[in-house]
Amino acid sequence: MKVVYFATLLVATLALLVVSMPVYASQTDERIESSARESHVFKTYLKHDDIRIQSRDGAVTLTGHVSEESHRTLAMETVAGLPGVISVDNRLNVKGGESTMTHSDLLIRDKVQSTLMLHRSVNAEMTRVEVRDGNVTLLGTATSQAQKDLTSEYARDIEGVNDVKNEMIISNSGDSSFPSSVGEYVDDVSINSQVNMALLFHRSTSFLHTMASTKGGVVTLTGTARNAAEIDLVSKLVSDIHGVRSVNNQMIIR
C-alpha cells in the first residue's frame, strides 16, 4: 500500500509541476518585460524610441526602431542584465537620417553624443556635436569652464576621433537635462548598462578586460589594467555615471 501511495503522490506532484511551470515562466517573462520598460535607461534615454520587448522563457526579442546605433546597444545591454534573462535577440533597426555625413563620421558623432549622455558632469542636451573626417566640433553651452573642458576630454577619448574643437559658450543659465542629486534613484541594471557602454566607447579603457557589477548604486570593478593610471581613469569615468553612488575598484595590473 505504501508503494502505491508514494507512487500516486509522485505522479500528483509531477502533474502539479507540469501545470505550474508554464505559469511561473509566464510570470517571469512578464516581470522581465515590465522591468525593462520601467528601468531608468528605457524611461530616460530610450523614451522616444519605438522598442517592443517580448520575453519567452527568458529568451528576449527586441523589435522596433531607435534613433541611434548606441540606443540599440544600450537597450540590449540593459535587458541582458535583468534577472531571468537567458538571451537577447536584438532586432532593433536604426532610423535613417538625412545627414550628409559619412557613415564613419555618423558613428563617431553617435558615440560622442552617447558618451556625454551617460556622464552627469557634462550636459548632453546643451551640446551639439558635429564631425567631419574624424574631427569633432562641439557647440552649445556649458555652465562653467570646467564643464567645457571635461566635455572636450570625454569627446577626445572616443575611438575614431582625431581632434576636438570646442566652441561651446559658457553660460550660468545652462541647465542639465539629467540633474544630479544625492537622492536621485537609478536602478542597478540601468547603472550597469551605462557603465558597460562608457567602458566600450572610451578608448582609454578596456571593455573586454573590465567586469562591472552594481548593487545599491555601488559599482564593483574587476579585471585587468595595463597600469595604475588606467585603473584610476576607469574609476573616474565610472564614478561620473548617472546613479553611481561609489566605486569599488578591484582591478589588478597585468
Side-chain angles (χ1 to χ4, degrees):
M1 289 294 294
K2 284 187 177 181
V3 174
V4 174
Y5 172 77
F6 283 115
T8 303
L9 183 62
L10 180 60
V11 170
T13 302
L14 290 174
L16 181 61
L17 287 173
V18 170
V19 172
S20 63
M21 282 178 64
V23 175
Y24 175 77
S26 176
Q27 291 175 343
T28 300
D29 290 332
E30 290 177 1
R31 178 178 52 76
I32 289 172
E33 294 171 6
S34 175
S35 296
R37 296 190 189 96
E38 292 301 313
S39 68
H40 176 79
V41 164
F42 273 77
K43 294 176 69 174
T44 306
Y45 306 127
L46 309 178
K47 62 182 178 180
H48 297 304
D49 293 316
D50 175 25
I51 302 177
R52 292 179 291 280
I53 309 162
Q54 184 176 21
S55 178
R56 185 170 183 179
D57 297 334
V60 180
T61 301
L62 300 177
T63 56
H65 303 274
V66 293
S67 59
E68 301 174 10
E69 179 64 34
S70 62
H71 287 200
R72 186 175 184 273
T73 305
L74 189 56
M76 183 177 70
E77 283 284 343
T78 303
V79 172
L82 292 171
V85 173
I86 298 172
S87 64
V88 180
D89 182 7
N90 194 344
R91 301 182 185 178
L92 290 171
N93 294 315
V94 181
K95 295 179 181 177
E98 299 179 356
S99 176
T100 58
M101 297 168 60
T102 64
H103 180 65
S104 60
D105 282 345
L106 281 171
L107 288 177
I108 292 172
R109 186 189 67 178
D110 187 15
K111 290 180 181 180
V112 172
Q113 289 176 332
S114 298
T115 298
L116 298 180
M117 175 183 70
L118 298 173
H119 293 296
R120 57 186 164 197
S121 295
V122 293
N123 194 331
E125 279 293 300
M126 300 300 293
T127 307
R128 190 167 85 253
V129 181
E130 297 180 354
V131 184
R132 184 172 182 178
D133 298 328
N135 299 310
V136 174
T137 300
L138 300 172
L139 304 163
T141 59
T143 56
S144 65
Q145 184 64 47
Q147 187 182 72
K148 179 178 179 179
D149 293 342
L150 187 59
T151 304
S152 296
E153 181 182 333
Y154 283 155
R156 190 172 288 110
D157 197 40
I158 301 303
E159 192 69 40
V161 173
N162 296 323
D163 190 29
V164 175
K165 183 179 181 181
N166 195 329
E167 298 182 354
M168 298 175 71
I169 298 172
I170 298 175
S171 171
N172 292 330
S173 62
D175 186 23
S176 175
S177 58
F178 305 116
S180 173
S181 64
V182 176
E184 180 185 19
Y185 173 75
V186 181
D187 55 285
D188 290 339
V189 171
S190 291
I191 292 173
N192 222 65
S193 63
Q194 291 179 92
V195 170
N196 287 334
M197 288 287 288
L199 295 175
L200 178 64
F201 287 162
H202 283 290
R203 59 181 159 193
S204 296
T205 60
S206 175
F207 171 73
L208 295 177
H209 296 112
T210 309
M211 283 70 71
S213 60
T214 306
K215 186 174 182 179
V218 178
V219 179
T220 299
L221 301 169
T222 57
T224 60
R226 290 165 293 184
N227 48 53
E230 183 177 334
I231 292 178
D232 292 340
L233 178 60
V234 171
S235 294
K236 174 186 174 182
L237 293 175
V238 172
S239 64
D240 197 33
I241 298 294
H242 291 286
V244 174
R245 297 185 181 278
S246 64
V247 178
N248 177 19
N249 197 330
Q250 300 179 6
M251 297 174 68
I252 60 175
I253 299 173
R254 182 171 297 171

